[in-house]
Amino acid sequence: MVVLLTLRFLRAFALRRRGPSATIAAFRGRTAECRRRATKRNIHDVVSGQWFSAQLRHDGATCYDDWTLCMVMMVRDALSDDIFRTARAQILSGDDEALDKRVRWVYTNERADIATFLSGGEMLVIEGNALQAIGRRGDTALPTYIDDLCDAGVSALVIELVQGVTEVPPSMLEHAEARGFIVVGLFARVPFVNICERINTRIVQDEISVRMQADSVSAALHEALASARTPSALASALSGVFRENVAIFDPLGDLVASCTPAGPKNGGSSRVLEVDSDGMCLGTIEISNTRGALSDEVAREVCRSAAALLSGLRGTDMGVNLLNLVMAGPADDLAATPDETRDTAAALSALGVDASYAFYPFAVRLRSPVGQLDAVLRVLDDFETDDACIVCEVLHGDVLLGFLGGRDAMADPIGFLRSCHDVMERCATESGAKVDVVRLVDSAEALVTAFGALAAMPPIEERGTSNGCVRSYYEDALRCLMLSDDVRRGVQTMSRRCLGESAMNDQQLMDTLCACFDAASSKSAAADLLGIRRQTLYGRLDRLCRISGCDIDDAQTWAVVTTCAKMLSSLPTRHLPS
């Protein structure tokens, strides 16, 4: 009875019903003629009309007249330059979201392995004939070239298609389209040095202007926020300064204020800012990018200016502090310390969540909380209608971090695991968000480690403005391992996240998984290697499911857990957790 009352209290402050979806839907104000992807599009059809021709003011508001100086250059801005019109540029692949990637530099180099020398944000310019040299490496060479550029963070690939090679091979374009990567064709000759000089000069000028105007922006913000005492006043002040749509969310995902300036707003992305203090989330601000992307300097100034006011949103909600503590992950990014485990267990207890619960951590990555969060929260609310289930979440900027909980869920761990996965699939499908998950865990220690795994997962590469997806840590476990500078530490971290401490400490289970690895997953062959009956082998694997919360019927999960066991056994001196 005490637990039920506590859970009702939890839902009252941490999972309270959100405002009407119409309020959120009205914020964006996107027009029906948003740029749609096509096989070939004229550059200026795509980018025209994105910047205001005049600086607008409303009565009594402070508006930053040199606002364009505080913007960073995006792909769409670079392609709007007259030099690309002269080159008869056409977009051959990519989506609208990719047009909003930042261009840090324009660079030309036709090496097949150029991606290894790039650091992200480049617009790469090459001649079409370079594709022939790359293609000679094999049938998959050109798609691999696209993968390498995407993984390196390149913003766009510009290819001159004037002489010799006059079209991009279909396999390359199809792969670029699948990755949402911008490929631009130039159908009139313009010296590459002219393109680089023109765009890079604009980038440098913009960077210098941003730094020169930082003080002016700060002054404008302080002036606008001087009299702001409520979230609504804050939204109105920010909207008045930037002439953009503004929405403010509290740490639990409730829309607490919004302001949409009069007049039409063309399409574009938005900048989502997490406002925090001493590591604790105070709220989230979303500002539309109809006039360009906020620079990092301006974004930091907005967060600093808003922090004092937004601290009042939390008030005395200790629940937010407790949820932040639970979801912080391990300090060393490896595993929970005894102190972290004890603190997390105490926080869960204070939230009314006792040791009978199992947890399914998740991270929903949002392009726009305004456009996607409401759909996600509706799905999570549906899950919580079962009295044995709870949902806890905190909005950290563009990431909704949380966990699904089930009382006595470990009585049927695979059944609960699959029901949780179905919930995440619905979140992704109905909102278009990208969702990361780890595994089912049944202790405070494992929960801390699981949130560390979510934080370590690299950005989801699948693109598309409407199609969501769910990604398990098992999909990227090996990639995370390869990013580790210390192989031993990487193997141990990967194994803790995929298997958990209890399974790693069970030598019999580890030997069983190694035998399955050696037998190419043949259960009969693995049993023979171990000298046991198949039924005994199945009993051990069933115990693994209960201990680790892994669904070994999933082919990808099975491959990763057997690989983890084999790598652990192959370390020169095996260090298991104490």
Side-chain angles (χ1 to χ4, degrees), residues 230-452:
T230 65
S232 295
L234 173 62
S236 179
L238 291 174
S239 182
V241 170
F242 298 124
R243 308 306 301 156
E244 296 282 3
N245 296 338
V246 176
I248 300 175
F249 298 83
D250 72 8
L252 299 174
D254 287 335
L255 179 65
V256 295
S258 64
C259 185
T260 56
K265 292 288 185 181
N266 291 309
S269 63
S270 60
R271 183 69 182 265
V272 183
L273 308 175
E274 178 184 1
V275 182
D276 64 2
S277 176
D278 298 327
M280 291 294 180
C281 179
L282 300 176
T284 293
I285 300 175
E286 181 172 3
I287 303 175
S288 60
N289 283 347
T290 59
R291 304 176 65 191
L294 280 170
S295 70
D296 292 340
E297 290 85 352
V298 173
R300 283 192 291 269
E301 185 59 40
V302 169
C303 291
R304 282 195 297 268
S305 300
L309 190 149
L310 288 185
S311 62
L313 288 180
R314 242 180 19 192
T316 57
D317 264 359
M318 290 303 297
V320 176
N321 292 338
L322 295 172
L323 290 174
N324 274 309
L325 189 154
V326 169
M327 302 173 192
D332 66 354
D333 298 325
L334 178 60
T337 64
D339 286 343
E340 289 171 335
T341 300
R342 184 168 51 253
D343 291 344
T344 300
L348 289 171
S349 178
L351 290 168
V353 184
D354 60 31
S356 68
Y357 279 83
F359 311 102
Y360 188 73
F362 62 82
V364 182
R365 307 190 185 280
L366 307 161
R367 292 187 306 278
S368 165
V370 164
Q372 297 175 299
L373 185 57
D374 194 49
V376 172
L377 296 179
R378 283 199 304 268
V379 174
L380 297 180
D381 285 345
D382 288 345
F383 174 81
E384 203 201 2
T385 55
D386 186 332
D387 287 339
C389 298
I390 59 170
V391 184
C392 293
E393 79 279 339
V394 175
L395 181 63
H396 292 270
D398 58 358
V399 177
L400 184 71
L401 196 63
F403 61 83
L404 307 181
R407 190 190 309 119
D408 300 324
M410 294 310 287
D412 180 18
I414 300 305
F416 184 71
L417 174 66
R418 291 175 179 171
S419 68
C420 290
H421 186 76
D422 289 343
V423 171
M424 293 297 102
E425 288 281 4
R426 278 191 60 199
C427 286
T429 301
E430 297 184 18
S431 70
K434 316 295 186 181
V435 183
D436 286 337
V437 297
V438 188
R439 62 185 178 92
L440 189 65
V441 298
D442 65 347
S443 68
E445 181 181 27
L447 185 61
V448 174
T449 301
F451 277 114

Side-chain angles (χ1 to χ4, degrees), residues 17 35 100 124 127 131 144 188 200 223 237 397 423 468-469 523:
R17 294 293 178 238
R35 301 159 310 281
D100 291 325
L124 183 63
E127 188 182 24
L131 301 180
T144 299
N200 288 337
E223 178 185 348
V423 171
C469 64
K523 303 299 192 298

